[in-house]
């Protein structure tokens, strides 16, 4: 287990040793901003989000933004000489509820504190129902150059089970509006395996993705998280639990349809039309880069030190207003921790993992996995890399345990 650094009331800078700051800027550096606000709570979601009825006046978007700016000031002190940001990702929650002006303020704060690299990738998530041509034009003018839209499904009855509020056709229209506003890089998120989803429903979702003409797709199997409304409905027998065999068949269908349309997988759950279309911010996570996560509940990582913020927006804003760090906990990753995470994350990439990252037992397991058809034999022999086969992608989690 990671070695926990002591919980104190002192700012986070006391938890960042010089060894963590060494090399800062030579690795990818990103900023993640967590927007905790949603119009409604989706039944499957366990993210750190809040509807207006769950918050008081101390947890407004304005107090959140003021807290965010204070956290960026803290980041500048902690990092001492913060590098220019390679990637920005505004997620949540529903960032588009802030409107174009609110998202402009967020990016201006990032730019004022860190500066942006000349070719910085700047992404915001958006709910299709809270976007418009004017919204997209406004955030494009503010400096955003990538959009991620939550589509989930093109079947209205599936959206209803997920408690999504947008209509089935709105994500495609939103993607077209974003492209018309000058966004070359647009992602659609798809969820598969929802109780009640039929093969023809998933096919309709994939058809909609292709009609939208986006250059990136993320597709995630539905995970039933404890404590959610969906979990309670399944426990009561109102809905069936997702079936692993169905999920595997769905994944194969998604990969087949997207590949035939020129979207190639580059991470187990992500497809893109080109290398330029890949999400560089997420690649930074998968390759062990550094990032500062700002906002309630956000996680950060710099040079082997990881920490996370308090979850409630009011407590987050109050801590920063009092001149205190909003961090709720911190951990120092051991060599074993970092090795496990490297194998777990890099193996999911289409380029795979170099065998040099494995010990003798791990390399033996890799050879055995290749013989079983889980790893590409030619990549193993010719490049010295563990690269998942199509079948291996379905069993990647179990393979990680074998290799470590």
């Amino acid at each position: 287990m990671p070695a926990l650094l002591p919980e104190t009331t002192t700012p986070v800078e006391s938890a960042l040793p010089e060894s963590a700051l060494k090399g800062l800027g030579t690795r990818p550096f990103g900023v993640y901003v967590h927007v905790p606000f949603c119009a409604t709570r989706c039944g499957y979601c366990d993210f750190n989000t809040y509807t207006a009825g769950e918050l008081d006046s101390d947890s407004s978007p304005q107090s959140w933004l003021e807290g965010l700016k204070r956290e960026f000031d803290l980041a500048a002190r902690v990092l001492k000489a913060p590098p220019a940001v390679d990637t920005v990702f505004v997620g949540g929650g529903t960032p588009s509820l802030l409107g174009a002006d609110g998202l402009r303020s967020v990016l201006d704060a990032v730019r004022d504190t860190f500066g942006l690299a000349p070719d910085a990738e700047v992404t915001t998530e958006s709910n299709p129902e809270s976007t418009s041509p004017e919204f997209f034009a406004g955030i494009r003018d503010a400096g955003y150059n990538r959009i991620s839209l939550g589509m989930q499904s093109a079947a209205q009855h599936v959206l209803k089970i997920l408690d999504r509020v947008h209509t089935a056709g709105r994500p495609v229209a939103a993607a077209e509006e974003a492209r018309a506003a000058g966004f070359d890089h647009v992602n659609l998120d798809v969820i598969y395996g929802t109780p009640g989803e039929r093969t023809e429903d998933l096919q309709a979702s994939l058809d909609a993705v292709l009609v939208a003409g986006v250059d990136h797709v993320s597709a995630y199997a539905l995970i039933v998280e404890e404590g959610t409304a969906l979990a309670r409905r399944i426990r009561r027998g109102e809905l069936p639990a997702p079936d692993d065999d169905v999920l595997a068949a769905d994944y194969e269908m998604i990969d087949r349809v997207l590949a035939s349309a020129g979207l190639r997988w580059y991470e187990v759950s992500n497809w893109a039309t080109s290398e330029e279309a890949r999400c560089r911010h997420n690649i930074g996570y998968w390759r062990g880069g550094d990032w500062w996560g700002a906002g309630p509940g956000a996680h950060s990582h710099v040079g082997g030190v990881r920490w996370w913020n308090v979850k409630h927006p009011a407590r987050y804003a109050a801590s920063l207003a009092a001149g205190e760090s909003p961090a709720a906990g911190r951990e120092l990753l051991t060599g074993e921790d970092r090795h496990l995470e490297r194998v777990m994350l890099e193996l999911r990439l289409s380029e795979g993992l170099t065998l040099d990252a494995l010990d003798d037992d791990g390399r033996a397991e890799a050879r055995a996995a290749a013989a079983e058809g889980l790893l590409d034999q030619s990549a193993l022999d010719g490049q010295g890399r563990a690269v998942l086969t199509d079948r291996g992608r379905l069993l990647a989690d179990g393979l990680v345990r074998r290799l470590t």
Side-chain angles (χ1 to χ4, degrees):
M1 291 293 292
L4 291 180
L5 298 181
E7 287 283 352
T8 70
T9 58
T10 57
V12 170
E13 51 257 55
S14 63
L16 282 184
E18 286 299 320
S19 59
L21 296 175
K22 185 178 181 180
L24 182 65
T26 64
R27 303 177 292 267
F29 180 71
V31 168
Y32 171 76
V33 176
H34 184 73
V35 181
F37 309 112
C38 279
T40 61
R41 181 171 298 283
C42 297
Y44 66 93
C45 180
D46 73 336
F47 293 167
N48 186 45
T49 61
Y50 306 83
T51 63
E54 296 170 332
L55 296 172
D56 55 27
S57 59
D58 293 331
S59 305
S60 67
Q62 185 57 42
S63 65
W64 167 83
L65 181 59
E66 291 170 358
L68 190 73
K69 293 176 179 178
R70 291 187 176 106
E71 187 176 359
F72 286 156
D73 289 340
L74 173 65
R77 298 195 301 272
V78 170
L79 300 178
K80 299 182 179 178
V85 176
D86 298 304
T87 63
V88 179
F89 197 105
V90 184
T94 310
S96 47
L97 287 179
L98 299 176
D101 289 343
L103 286 170
R104 179 187 294 272
S105 295
V106 170
L107 187 54
D108 284 346
V110 174
R111 189 182 285 113
D112 291 345
T113 302
F114 302 98
L116 296 177
D119 63 343
E121 173 193 88
V122 184
T123 303
T124 183
E125 293 180 337
S126 297
N127 187 313
E129 286 298 318
S130 53
T131 62
S132 66
E134 294 75 21
F135 168 82
F136 290 121
I139 62 173
R140 186 70 188 91
D141 180 69
Y144 290 83
N145 52 31
R146 187 174 183 275
I147 288 287
S148 181
L149 294 164
M151 174 177 151
Q152 319 317 353
S153 176
Q156 197 64 48
H157 73 96
V158 174
L159 294 174
K160 184 176 180 180
I161 291 171
L162 295 173
D163 292 323
R164 298 289 295 184
V165 297
H166 64 264
T167 55
R170 178 57 196 156
V172 172
E176 292 171 346
E177 290 167 3
R179 292 170 59 206
F183 283 91
D184 294 326
H185 302 305
V186 181
N187 170 67
L188 283 175
D189 278 347
V190 174
I191 289 179
Y192 61 96
T194 300
E197 182 181 58
R198 303 161 301 186
T199 300
E200 53 264 39
D201 295 326
L202 179 57
Q203 182 64 61
S205 297
L206 296 173
D207 290 344
V209 165
L210 300 185
V211 167
V214 297
D215 66 345
H216 191 285
V217 176
S218 299
Y220 304 106
L222 178 69
I223 298 175
V224 181
E225 302 286 1
E226 283 301 318
T228 62
L230 180 62
R232 291 190 291 273
R233 294 184 68 187
I234 290 175
R235 191 180 306 114
R236 290 194 298 263
E238 297 174 14
L239 295 170
D243 181 274
D244 287 343
D245 290 337
V246 172
L247 292 175
D250 285 349
Y251 181 86
E252 291 174 334
M253 177 182 174
I254 291 167
D255 185 56
R256 183 173 62 253
V257 171
L258 295 181
S260 67
L263 287 132
R264 305 291 179 177
W265 80 281
Y266 71 97
E267 191 274 343
V268 168
S269 298
N270 290 273
W271 290 257
T273 57
S274 65
E275 188 167 346
E276 292 73 26
R278 297 178 177 186
C279 180
R280 288 165 47 201
H281 185 82
N282 287 343
I283 290 173
Y285 294 153
W286 298 322
R287 293 204 176 280
D290 296 325
W291 72 92
W292 190 287
H299 285 60
S300 301
H301 170 265
V302 174
V305 177
R306 183 161 52 212
W307 65 95
W308 51 95
N309 287 345
V310 296
K311 289 187 173 183
H312 199 279
R315 186 179 172 198
Y316 168 79
S319 295
L320 287 156
E324 300 172 355
S325 165
R330 300 170 290 280
E331 59 186 3
L332 177 64
L333 301 178
T334 66
E336 182 179 351
D337 299 327
R338 299 180 80 170
H339 169 72
L340 173 62
E341 292 192 1
R342 180 183 179 188
V343 174
M344 178 176 64
L345 297 173
E346 289 191 23
L347 187 66
R348 293 178 63 88
L349 297 171
S350 58
E351 293 84 359
L353 174 77
T354 176
L355 292 181
D356 292 342
L358 304 175
D359 59 19
D360 290 343
D361 290 341
R363 286 190 286 271
E365 284 290 346
R367 289 190 289 272
E372 297 164 20
L374 302 179
L375 293 177
D376 186 309
Q377 189 71 61
S378 61
L380 201 71
D381 295 338
Q383 304 167 32
R385 302 190 71 82
V387 175
L388 294 171
T389 61
D390 291 349
R391 180 166 175 263
R393 278 187 273 165
L394 296 173
L395 302 170
D397 291 344
L399 186 53
V400 167
R401 290 191 289 271
R402 290 175 58 181
L403 298 182
T404 55

